[in-house]
Amino acid sequence: MAAVTTGCAGGGPDRRDDRAPQDSRPPALTWQQELRVADAQQRLIRQCMDRQGFTYWEDRGLTLQESRPVRFVQDDVEWARTHGYGGRIEAKSLRVRERNPNGTYRQSLSATRRAAFDIALDGGDDAETLRAPLPAGGEIRKRLGGCTEESERTLYGDPAAWFRTSKTVSGLGALYGDELMADRRLTSALRAWARCMKRAGQPYEDPGAARDAVRGRTSRLGEARADEAFAAERGTAVADARCARKTSLRAVATARETHCLDRLRDRFGEDIDTHRRLGRQAYDRAVRIVPERG
């Protein structure tokens, strides 16, 4: 991994980007806002496909709370008490994908209509190919055309810029991940979390280890003891969330990750701000297209 975040692991003095005050930068979207943008895109695709003479089902198989991402630090005790680490939600999501009516509908079409469906949806084989270099090296490509391109253009204005900056921002973790996990403030908070978990009868070094143990236990118990496995999952997840709150683990992790990101702004600040600006624009448009999920 390229060493580009010198000093991040040591928790040294912050080096501020003096080109723009912190409070003038566009904020990142919350996961709820990102979901609403995704729902708006589904609505736009459905409307576009309808105009092309095809049926298209929107992907809204999960509720708002079921759609909540489970990040490295999860400190919502009530969510954990209900959903654990989201094991049953993952299973439900898999069932939704497997039963996706769009795939069944597409297969029911004649070969000619199926080709027309593909062209209408994403432009088919002749669609434009977008390219995005990754911060740690390499490149990702995506074919974009048809109703998918129309939906992205409606929301973001510039699909190519959105794709490029999205891949840049999502790839930044590869540049600072090791340094972040070695950061002395974060490791101190993780040790406090681990002590709290041990007192709760959950002897794990970090949240990732706790979740790996839960997945292993669930796999071993199998379907016949699924309720027992889920009860254990919820017990571990609740202890995890309580200890994260007691040790302020989420606040520490967020602050140290922000510190690491700030050290990459000389190279990637423009892409980060463009990504956030386009995301904010898409959300402002999405609220006029779809309601928030229930």
Side-chain angles (χ1 to χ4, degrees):
M1 184 181 72
V4 298
T5 53
T6 303
C8 179
D14 289 356
R15 177 165 55 87
R16 298 298 180 190
D17 183 347
D18 58 8
R19 292 171 298 177
Q22 180 74 32
D23 59 6
S24 73
R25 296 171 184 162
L29 296 183
T30 65
W31 67 266
Q32 295 97 326
Q33 292 170 332
E34 290 177 346
L35 182 64
R36 195 162 181 180
V37 172
D39 285 347
Q41 182 172 6
Q42 288 286 297
R43 178 66 51 84
L44 291 168
I45 291 174
R46 179 179 67 78
Q47 293 171 344
C48 175
M49 292 294 284
D50 183 66
R51 294 196 302 272
Q52 302 293 324
F54 294 102
T55 301
Y56 184 87
W57 286 263
E58 298 174 34
D59 179 11
R60 295 172 67 95
L62 301 180
T63 67
L64 179 65
Q65 284 305 308
E66 288 173 338
S67 301
R68 176 178 183 158
V70 179
R71 307 193 191 282
F72 179 69
V73 180
Q74 203 296 93
D75 62 356
D76 188 325
V77 176
E78 289 305 313
W79 195 92
R81 185 173 287 115
T82 301
H83 301 292
Y85 286 119
R88 288 190 167 179
I89 296 174
E90 291 178 8
K92 178 180 177 180
S93 181
L94 178 60
R95 291 194 299 271
V96 169
R97 290 196 300 272
E98 290 174 343
R99 300 169 184 172
N100 186 341
N102 290 311
T104 303
Y105 170 72
R106 179 183 177 277
Q107 287 302 118
S108 73
L109 300 173
S110 67
T112 300
R113 287 286 287 166
R114 194 178 307 139
F117 178 93
D118 293 343
I119 292 172
L121 180 60
D122 63 14
D125 293 338
D126 295 328
E128 177 186 7
T129 298
L130 303 181
R131 292 175 169 81
L134 298 176
E139 180 184 78
I140 289 184
R141 301 181 183 185
K142 181 178 83 167
R143 189 175 65 187
L144 185 66
C147 290
T148 303
E149 178 182 8
E150 180 180 306
S151 68
E152 291 195 9
R153 197 168 298 283
T154 298
L155 291 168
Y156 302 107
D158 187 341
W162 172 249
F163 178 66
R164 177 181 56 80
T165 59
S166 292
K167 297 309 174 185
T168 295
V169 169
S170 64
L172 290 177
L175 300 183
Y176 65 74
D178 290 345
E179 286 85 350
L180 175 61
M181 294 310 297
D183 182 281
R184 60 180 178 81
R185 298 182 195 177
L186 180 57
T187 56
S188 177
L190 283 170
R191 286 194 296 270
W193 176 93
R195 289 193 297 270
C196 176
M197 287 289 281
K198 187 175 182 179
R199 289 193 295 269
Q202 305 281 351
Y204 303 111
E205 293 184 357
D206 58 50
R211 289 171 209 178
D212 288 344
V214 163
R215 282 191 287 268
R217 184 190 306 122
T218 299
S219 178
R220 289 192 303 273
L221 292 178
E223 284 297 322
R225 300 171 67 185
D227 289 343
E228 178 185 344
F230 186 56
E233 174 186 338
R234 288 189 292 115
T236 300
V238 167
D240 182 346
R242 284 175 173 164
C243 288
R245 282 184 173 271
K246 289 179 181 179
T247 60
S248 300
L249 181 57
R250 180 180 179 182
V252 173
T254 300
R256 302 320 295 161
E257 183 168 22
T258 299
H259 172 75
C260 290
L261 278 171
D262 282 347
R263 289 182 174 272
L264 294 175
R265 274 196 162 270
D266 284 347
R267 291 177 59 191
F268 301 106
E270 183 176 349
D271 283 340
I272 293 170
D273 290 342
T274 297
H275 177 259
R276 291 182 177 185
R277 176 179 56 80
L278 293 178
R280 180 63 51 181
Q281 171 183 285
Y283 176 72
D284 290 343
R285 293 173 177 176
V287 298
R288 299 193 292 270
I289 298 171
V290 290
E292 186 173 68
R293 288 196 197 187

